[in-house]
Amino acid sequence: MLLQTFLIAISVSMDAFAVSIGKGLTVKRLRKRDVLKTALWFGGFQALFPVIGYYATSTFSKYVTAVDHWIIFGLLLLIGGNMIREAFEEDEENAKETPAFDWRHMLPIAFACSIDAFAVGVSFAFMNLNIGLSVAIIGVTTGLFAAAGLCIGRLFGSHWQKPAQIIGGFVLILIGVKVLLEHLSLLGL
């Protein structure tokens, strides 16, 4: 389950990674505090939203346990598919990036990148896992990916942005398929 949580963390980090690459493209000089701010904004929101999704859903989980595997599969399929779709639509969005790192610029993009993490938190309510550890893994992983994305964007440009989102989307879809197949006893793991 720890490996699965880490793979989910990497997957939901891809939006923040991609946006950070775009932001890195707009920065003439990258300061350490800007890297730290980026990591904290994205990592913090990616840690907060699964908690909200988890607790909002855990209240109702006893009523839907018969179909929880379908809910997990559907959410991860939706999130992964959306990430892949967005990978092909972001060129225009990234062209509008601004180098500012204040709350007016960071709050909306951190919020937007974390909506998928809310859905992941919903799916966590149906899984047997430690929510605190899972959220910590997601937050730290996203913070590291966002910081790395900012630096990569500054150094190398946006060449890896689209592949990162596509890979992240496919990983989420594959985890959803794995959960479904396990529950339907079609996969002996």
Side-chain angles (χ1 to χ4, degrees):
M1 199 53 108
L2 191 59
L3 176 62
Q4 185 172 324
T5 302
F6 185 65
L7 290 173
I8 289 171
I10 291 171
S11 297
V12 297
S13 297
M14 290 302 110
D15 278 350
F17 179 69
V19 169
S20 295
I21 289 174
K23 197 147 196 67
L25 292 170
T26 65
V27 178
K28 291 182 181 173
R29 190 176 125 251
L30 192 57
R31 300 174 301 197
K32 287 181 185 178
R33 69 179 173 172
D34 295 334
V35 174
L36 181 62
K37 283 181 186 179
T38 300
L40 291 174
W41 273 105
F42 285 112
F45 269 77
Q46 288 285 62
L48 174 65
F49 275 55
V51 171
I52 294 169
Y54 176 84
Y55 285 109
T57 305
S58 62
T59 307
F60 304 103
S61 67
K62 62 185 173 193
Y63 303 111
V64 293
T65 55
V67 294
D68 62 352
H69 53 286
W70 287 104
I71 293 170
I72 294 167
F73 170 73
L75 285 172
L76 293 178
L77 182 71
L78 181 69
I79 296 166
N82 191 47
M83 284 176 67
I84 294 168
R85 179 188 56 77
E86 286 177 353
F88 295 101
E89 295 177 352
E90 288 203 356
D91 293 336
E92 182 180 314
E93 186 178 311
N94 287 338
K96 298 177 185 175
E97 277 296 325
T98 175
F101 291 92
D102 61 5
W103 70 270
R104 288 185 314 250
H105 291 92
M106 296 302 290
L107 177 67
I109 59 175
F111 183 88
C113 287
S114 299
I115 292 175
D116 292 348
F118 175 84
V120 167
V122 170
S123 68
F124 280 175
F126 303 109
M127 298 175 164
N128 185 21
L129 51 75
N130 179 325
I131 186 65
L133 179 61
S134 299
V135 166
I137 291 170
I138 288 172
V140 169
T141 301
T142 301
L144 293 173
F145 270 90
L150 189 63
C151 295
I152 289 168
R154 178 66 189 108
L155 294 174
F156 300 109
S158 63
H159 180 69
W160 296 106
Q161 178 178 357
K162 197 173 289 191
Q165 269 192 292
I166 293 168
I167 290 168
F170 277 119
V171 168
L172 286 179
I173 291 169
L174 290 174
I175 290 171
V177 168
K178 176 186 171 281
V179 167
L180 182 64
L181 293 177
E182 282 176 349
H183 190 79
L184 298 175
S185 299
L186 298 174
L187 189 63
L189 294 176

